[in-house]
Amino acid sequence: MGAGPAGLLLGQLLHKEGVDTLILERRSAQYVAGRVRAGVLEPGTVGVLERAGVAGRLRAEGLTHDGVEIGFRGRRHRIALKALTGKSVTVYGQTEVTRDLMEARAAAGAPSFYEVEDVQLHEITGARPRVTYRHAGSTHEVDCDFIAGCDGFHGVSRRSIPAAALSICERVYPFGWLGVLADVPPPWEELIYANSERGFALASLRSPTRVRCYLQCSLEDRVEQWSDGQFWDEFRLRMGEEIGARVQTAPSLEKSFAPLRSFVAEPLRYGRLFLAGDAAHIVPPTGAKGLNLAVSDVHYLYEALCGFYGEASERSLAEYSDRALRRIWRAERFSWWMTRQLHRFPGDEFDARLQQTELEYLFESQTAQANLAENYVGLPL
Ligand SMILES: Cc1cc2nc3c(=O)[nH]c(=O)nc-3n(C[C@H](O)[C@H](O)[C@H](O)COP(=O)(O)OP(=O)(O)OC[C@H]3O[C@@H](n4cnc5c(N)ncnc54)[C@H](O)[C@@H]3O)c2cc1C
């Protein structure tokens, strides 16, 4: 279910093992391919994409980043990811990952149906689950061994599990991110996470000629209220004088608002339905973990399904949820921590002083930096 990165990647990995898959997607292929989202890949994610045989363009065009910067009180502090962990991250947009996966699936001749409607899951707890859906005006039914619920936070898979069988943990933050994509060369070499008195800002990029920038904003803010000019003025102020003076502006190619949320539904298995990616969990984007977690879930689910088909045993399937959740919760913790330290929260002076203390400790302690770096480049799969 779903042709986001999780569904497409699982389909590709299983195709290479000779397992038949069918992908059902609610949106059009054009919409899915054009959706602008994440852009920082952990080395473990790159490894899984390589195993899936879709890392050619990523290797050629992805940008290797050996560090990130954190701005606070007018100064920037570099966290030397490579020096501290031996690992780097790769900047390569989710849009590109999606395109590579869609092209690989088309080349493999594996079936995908876009713009399907009224998707329903049946007999999930039996040995032969079924899916019914409408496509191009007619109703279809598929029976299968397993359903992989990769249909994102608003998908039908998680909602098909009885509420009593799921435990939900959630934290909603009192702000969102306004993001702008624009074709200008970034005047920064590595991502800058800035905690400014005016609120958080992130200077990011997608290529040597394209920037992706974000501002913390109120949940009441609407995209239409922010002209491009207002966005860039505010971004300059939050980035500080040095970067602010070098920021070039251009009309936004895309501008969107995303509320910030932490969310986990567990377990990830109900009968023959397995949840993976945003269908099961959401992280605030501050730790750059959403896409990476979707990929690690898929890696575990792929191994579980290979175990089932290879050894004709249910053992690996039974282990999937716990294996994936261990890593999910660590990424939830890190994403919450990054969000907590880098944004301006409504709250009392005690919280503000704790945040200041936490950041000052980070800038002075190699051990604290190594902790951040280890999580940022991604814990082992
Ligand atoms: C606006 C936004 C910005 C983001 N920015 C960042 C970022 O900067 N950094 C970061 O790390 N992460 C970011 N993320 C998170 C990251 O993009 C996701 O974690 C990632 O897309 C998860 O992949 P997925 O395949 O699990 O889910 P999705 O990408 O959501 O894919 C799920 C797919 O299922 C389809 N679907 C839904 N319902 C149905 C249905 N009933 N039937 C069939 N198909 C269905 C959807 O149309 C979608 O194509 C962002 C997310 C959003 C929403």
Side-chain angles (χ1 to χ4, degrees):
M1 305 298 309
L8 288 167
L9 179 60
L10 183 63
Q12 179 65 12
L13 287 164
L14 291 175
H15 169 75
K16 286 177 81 78
E17 298 295 325
V19 178
D20 286 342
T21 58
L22 170 71
I23 294 185
L24 300 178
E25 165 61 49
R26 187 168 57 106
R27 301 283 197 168
S28 71
Q30 195 186 17
Y31 179 91
V32 169
R35 208 163 34 191
V36 178
R37 286 185 173 178
V40 176
L41 307 185
E42 298 170 359
T45 296
V46 173
V48 178
L49 293 169
E50 260 165 1
R51 186 192 287 191
V54 291
R57 211 161 58 87
L58 158 63
R59 282 286 176 218
E61 297 174 20
L63 305 172
T64 302
H65 281 201
D66 295 338
V68 292
E69 292 191 7
I70 296 188
F72 185 56
R73 300 202 149 184
R75 285 190 57 206
R76 300 205 321 272
H77 306 260
R78 183 168 188 265
I79 309 293
L81 301 174
K82 178 90 183 275
L84 290 162
T85 66
K87 296 177 187 166
S88 310
V89 292
T90 305
V91 169
Y92 189 70
Q94 181 169 331
T95 326
E96 308 308 316
V97 173
T98 304
R99 187 178 128 195
D100 296 341
L101 286 164
M102 286 172 98
E103 286 177 4
R105 190 162 179 88
S112 311
F113 291 102
Y114 287 85
E115 298 181 79
V116 299
E117 295 170 301
D118 194 21
V119 177
Q120 291 180 36
L121 317 188
H122 310 272
E123 294 168 48
I124 305 171
T125 52
R128 295 298 287 175
R130 290 181 299 114
V131 179
T132 53
Y133 62 97
R134 277 194 300 117
H135 182 251
S138 45
T139 301
H140 302 264
E141 178 172 318
V142 191
D143 66 356
C144 52
D145 292 341
F146 300 104
I147 302 170
C150 302
D151 48 355
F153 186 66
H154 300 288
V156 69
S157 298
R158 192 181 68 251
R159 283 188 279 114
S160 303
I161 301 175
L166 276 184
S167 149
I168 307 277
C169 290
E170 185 169 29
R171 167 111 354 143
V172 177
Y173 300 87
F175 42 72
W177 278 19
L178 183 68
V180 157
L181 187 75
D183 270 343
V184 282
W188 46 84
E189 282 166 12
E190 296 172 339
L191 272 68
I192 306 172
Y193 293 81
N195 175 336
S196 98
E197 282 173 6
R198 303 177 65 88
F200 169 79
L202 171 59
S204 174
L205 63 153
R206 291 290 183 267
S207 77
T209 57
R210 181 168 286 186
V211 296
R212 178 70 165 161
C213 301
Y214 295 96
L215 294 177
Q216 173 185 353
C217 60
S218 151
L219 285 173
E220 280 77 49
D221 280 14
R222 294 289 159 263
V223 173
E224 314 76 67
Q225 290 172 301
W226 284 83
S227 69
D228 288 353
Q230 281 171 317
F231 182 93
W232 292 118
D233 287 348
E234 185 63 27
F235 182 76
R236 284 193 177 103
L237 290 170
R238 293 190 191 186
M239 275 293 138
E241 276 175 30
E242 191 200 336
I243 293 291
R246 283 156 46 199
V247 171
Q248 296 175 45
T249 62
S252 55
L253 301 169
E254 192 259 5
K255 196 189 289 168
S256 54
F257 174 82
L260 265 60
R261 178 197 306 267
S262 299
F263 175 95
V264 181
E266 50 188 305
L268 305 185
R269 176 182 187 180
Y270 183 68
R272 296 241 149 182
L273 168 64
F274 294 85
L275 301 179
D278 279 16
H281 46 78
I282 297 288
V283 285
T286 328
K289 290 284 165 260
L291 171 58
N292 291 297
L293 265 192
V295 170
S296 61
D297 286 0
V298 163
H299 163 76
Y300 296 132
L301 184 52
Y302 157 74
E303 289 197 338
L305 291 168
C306 287
F308 173 82
Y309 287 114
E311 299 160 18
S313 128
E314 295 265 338
R315 189 182 49 83
S316 59
L317 296 177
E319 289 170 355
Y320 164 67
S321 182
D322 285 349
R323 255 188 110 192
L325 280 165
R326 250 194 309 277
R327 198 167 189 280
I328 289 164
W329 272 108
R330 288 175 187 192
E332 289 284 348
R333 184 204 69 82
F334 177 65
S335 304
W336 165 83
W337 184 86
M338 288 282 279
T339 304
R340 185 73 224 149
Q341 306 320 328
L342 295 171
H343 292 77
R344 291 289 152 149
F345 280 77
D348 59 18
E349 184 59 16
F350 186 78
D351 286 340
R353 291 303 302 269
L354 280 183
Q355 187 191 65
Q356 178 188 338
T357 305
E358 189 89 40
L359 287 171
E360 286 170 355
Y361 172 61
L362 172 68
F363 302 143
E364 286 163 21
S365 163
Q366 281 268 92
T367 311
Q369 289 172 28
N371 180 321
L372 190 158
E374 180 183 40
N375 284 276
Y376 194 85
V377 301
L379 298 172
L381 286 173

